[in-house]
Amino acid sequence: MARTDTAFLLYADTARSADMLHFGHFNAPDPFIALGLGRKKIAVLNALEFGRARKSSSFDIVLPLEPWLKKARGHHPKTKVGAAEVIALLARHYRQKSFDISDDFPSGLCDRLRALGLKLKPVAALFPEREIKTAVEAAAIREGNRCSALGIAAAGKVLRASKIKAGKLLLNGCPLTSQILKTAVEIACLEAGALSIDTIAAGGDQACDPHERGHGPLRANELIIVDVFPRVSATGYHGDMTRTFLKGRASEAQHNLVAAVRTAQLAALHVIRAGVNGRHVHQQCLDTFARHGFETKRTSKGSVGFFHGTGHGLGLEVHEAPRLSAVDYILKKGSVVTVEPGLYYPGLGGCRIEDVVQVTDAKPRMLSSFHYDWEIR
Amino acid sequence: MARTDTAFLLYADTARSADMLHFGHFNAPDPFIALGLGRKKIAVLNALEFGRARKSSSFDIVLPLEPWLKKARGHHPKTKVGAAEVIALLARHYRQKSFDISDDFPSGLCDRLRALGLKLKPVAALFPEREIKTAVEAAAIREGNRCSALGIAAAGKVLRASKIKAGKLLLNGCPLTSQILKTAVEIACLEAGALSIDTIAAGGDQACDPHERGHGPLRANELIIVDVFPRVSATGYHGDMTRTFLKGRASEAQHNLVAAVRTAQLAALHVIRAGVNGRHVHQQCLDTFARHGFETKRTSKGSVGFFHGTGHGLGLEVHEAPRLSAVDYILKKGSVVTVEPGLYYPGLGGCRIEDVVQVTDAKPRMLSSFHYDWEIR
């Protein structure tokens, strides 16, 4: 599936661009130029990155930026030269005028390059092979979920260690907050070799906004969503898992809510395989919730019920192809997706349960593992 | 300095786009549409983010994405509609055809919008006011550096606790590695409320590649660069500080190297004020190193000496305007810059010392604070 026919051009740093990381297996915090010409991978790096790139990247040719900038100044004596002029020179050097670029290639640079005579064509997926994970990539995602699970376990441990007093949760005599829970998750991930950013540890009504990270004191007898999607530092691949906890005693309504979410997750997992439409997988969750009487609707203050997709691809990006949602998307063998139905009702609380699987010709291969016990007395 | 005259358009998530975070004071992991029309800030968010954005963002108008998508489908029955068609509808709704976009606006979307008849003009700085930090922003950066300093202190503590055995460093009987040092830094930052990504803790020749993060065992009597640029979770602003340590006994050459770097930093700090050219500040470091006999040159394996800029702007991004480097850049009052000369010679080692200041009409205001003792016996 690798592109060998067309030339392509990247200009990005690897914190923002998973394509660039995929292309060169090299981390750089500032944007740099990279070209794909046939099977040849070429990068242009400044003195700060040059030595490291020569040693540790998978680029076939690493060129030093400074002499190319100097040469570009010779060609454009009246312009403040930058990446555009260097790319134009490289294009001339390699006799290539047309390049594919990714949809998120920067517009300013794109306009300048077109003005310099290059033909640039944005494409939705510069590296379509990223959707299909190799065994090494699947192992890297499994490692990400090992970190996620350690983070979730750390949250469970804090909740078990906390005491209930007048409906509040106390840890070592102080109010237990979302921040404390998040920090416990993030330290566990760090110690396991992964960076958990935007960790969610949200309780009660806060958890009904699925992207609310959580803040302030957590309370007894309320559902607490813990969603952990760390990036393994060594590889750049992610884990992504969610569990919903409750410290104290759950009501019957809370039990029904959690049971419905887990049933929906199992229903989705049951139909995932190569060739199936992601929309069909999503429909299993919708049907399960309808069958259990959980309604989804938009209100003036936001939506309630199940109002996000069932899952998304996972890899070098937390959200990538494919999707399990209301849009058509045929699942391919080897792709990796989250399966994460959820229900959210302010007053009652929110619940989301998320695991990660790799699509096969038969039942999906689990790439995450953590128990589903959620009520902590 | 805020733009009130032109309309502008953003499509970005806030992990990648500091402009979007600056514009709406709202964190969202997936890209969304935002418009500036005169003084009005408008955002379009899906059900997952809508409620939280209404509650916690600084957008004047938060529109729900789904009905706009539906309306767009009505207008484009034969197209798979997306952000482009929704933006085109919004443009019609608000009777605005021309928008400024940032240089890094995604090219794919830009092409589609132009095909739909919009006029888009990439500009280098969509929010030029970001360069000048308010008192609140300066305090947020100072807080970032409080976290950096705690991280660096944690590294110092680990080095003090380590023992030297046959030239190696042992912590609790095990080899002390860059990873252990980095994890200690990152945990200290987390506990302080900030996320330290790509922390550098590199010793010996590794530290001579300024962006090498460091890996493997650290050794006695070698220079160890610790560079910590955490993002404060509550605000999105960064700290950025570097100290260079050595566990054991420094050679005279190492002493001279460290002294030259600190002297260069003081020379740069001495001339920073509003109206001065960043190139002139950088020149102070170059002159100091020349005076001390430290040569900079490119070799076939990379560069040695001082081969990066003296500093960069710091704020919602780790690297932003202005620059203290070989290019002309007049410093403005209120801007915040790092001051971080360094010297790197494989065999001898690398040293970088970095602090952060705010530019004033007189001597710069320090926004970072940590001692300069570096030799740990």
Side-chain angles (χ1 to χ4, degrees), chain A residues 19-285:
Chain A
D19 274 348
M20 188 60 112
L21 187 57
H22 169 83
F23 187 48
H25 299 99
F26 176 74
N27 259 308
D30 291 308
F32 63 96
I33 300 163
L35 303 174
L37 294 173
R39 291 194 166 275
K40 200 143 276 181
K41 301 176 173 189
I42 302 161
V44 185
L45 285 150
N46 67 22
L48 209 55
E49 308 287 5
F50 179 76
R52 197 167 55 90
R54 291 256 323 242
K55 267 181 270 178
S56 70
S57 78
S58 68
F59 292 112
D60 302 300
I61 301 173
V62 178
L63 301 171
L65 175 63
E66 291 77 4
W68 283 89
L69 270 174
K70 198 174 162 189
K71 208 170 153 191
R73 278 187 205 108
H75 279 75
H76 304 273
K78 288 178 184 169
T79 316
K80 196 182 157 199
V81 308
E85 289 73 20
V86 169
I87 292 167
L89 265 191
L90 287 164
R92 212 157 85 168
H93 178 81
Y94 289 108
R95 297 163 195 272
Q96 181 71 38
K97 279 192 90 165
S98 303
F99 295 90
D100 281 0
I101 56 176
S102 72
D103 258 351
D104 65 357
F105 189 90
S107 290
L109 183 56
C110 182
D111 279 6
R112 283 190 287 279
L113 287 168
R114 285 172 174 165
L116 289 167
L118 295 196
K119 284 197 168 49
L120 301 181
K121 189 178 128 213
V123 298
L126 203 56
F127 301 107
E129 72 271 19
R130 278 185 49 206
E131 186 173 337
I132 311 303
K133 268 66 176 183
T134 63
V136 171
E137 289 179 294
I141 294 167
R142 195 191 288 275
E143 169 63 15
N145 281 321
R146 187 186 69 87
C147 299
S148 291
L150 286 169
I152 292 171
K157 197 175 162 192
V158 168
L159 289 169
R160 268 193 305 283
S162 68
K163 308 267 178 235
I164 301 174
K165 199 167 171 185
K168 289 178 180 149
L169 297 185
L170 300 180
L171 185 70
N172 304 323
C174 297
L176 174 63
T177 61
S178 285
Q179 288 88 337
I180 292 171
L181 211 57
K182 269 188 282 189
T183 301
V185 169
E186 291 169 356
I187 289 176
C189 287
L190 266 187
E191 290 179 334
L195 210 54
S196 175
I197 302 184
D198 288 341
T199 313
I200 296 172
D205 286 356
Q206 283 182 20
C208 295
D209 264 335
H211 279 178
E212 160 72 48
R213 312 292 167 214
H215 57 271
L218 293 163
R219 275 162 294 272
N221 313 322
E222 73 176 8
L223 293 165
I224 300 170
I225 292 181
V226 180
D227 189 346
V228 186
F229 37 103
R231 181 180 192 265
V232 178
S233 299
T235 63
Y237 284 84
H238 290 83
D240 193 359
M241 291 174 70
T242 308
R243 290 294 184 269
T244 301
F245 292 112
L246 179 145
K247 171 82 180 185
R249 281 176 190 279
S251 68
E252 196 185 330
Q254 287 167 329
H255 270 285
N256 291 341
L257 190 84
V258 175
V261 172
R262 175 67 175 143
T263 304
Q265 193 197 30
L266 289 169
L269 286 168
H270 189 70
V271 300
I272 289 177
R273 66 169 66 206
V276 164
N277 193 332
R279 182 204 281 268
H280 175 66
V281 178
H282 183 58
Q283 192 61 44
Q284 306 309 305
C285 295

Side-chain angles (χ1 to χ4, degrees), chain B residues 183-211:
Chain B
T183 302
V185 169
E186 291 169 356
I187 288 176
C189 287
L190 267 186
E191 290 179 334
L195 209 54
S196 176
I197 301 182
D198 288 340
T199 312
I200 296 172
D205 285 356
Q206 283 182 21
C208 295
D209 264 335
H211 280 176

Side-chain angles (χ1 to χ4, degrees), chain B residues 122-141:
Chain B
V123 297
L126 203 55
F127 301 107
E129 73 270 20
R130 277 185 48 207
E131 187 174 338
I132 311 302
K133 268 66 176 182
T134 64
V136 171
E137 288 178 295
I141 294 167

Side-chain angles (χ1 to χ4, degrees), chain B residues 260-296:
Chain B
V261 172
R262 176 67 175 142
T263 304
Q265 193 197 29
L266 289 170
L269 287 168
H270 189 70
V271 300
I272 290 177
R273 67 169 67 206
V276 164
N277 192 333
R279 182 204 280 268
H280 175 66
V281 178
H282 183 58
Q283 191 63 44
Q284 305 310 304
C285 295
L286 295 173
D287 291 350
T288 303
F289 292 143
R291 215 163 43 236
H292 285 71
F294 289 102
E295 197 189 357
T296 296

Side-chain angles (χ1 to χ4, degrees), chain A residues 138 142 356-360 363-368:
Chain A
R142 195 191 288 275
V356 177
V357 297
Q358 185 167 31
V359 177
T360 76
K363 69 175 190 168
R365 186 178 299 127
M366 296 297 298
L367 296 182
S368 63

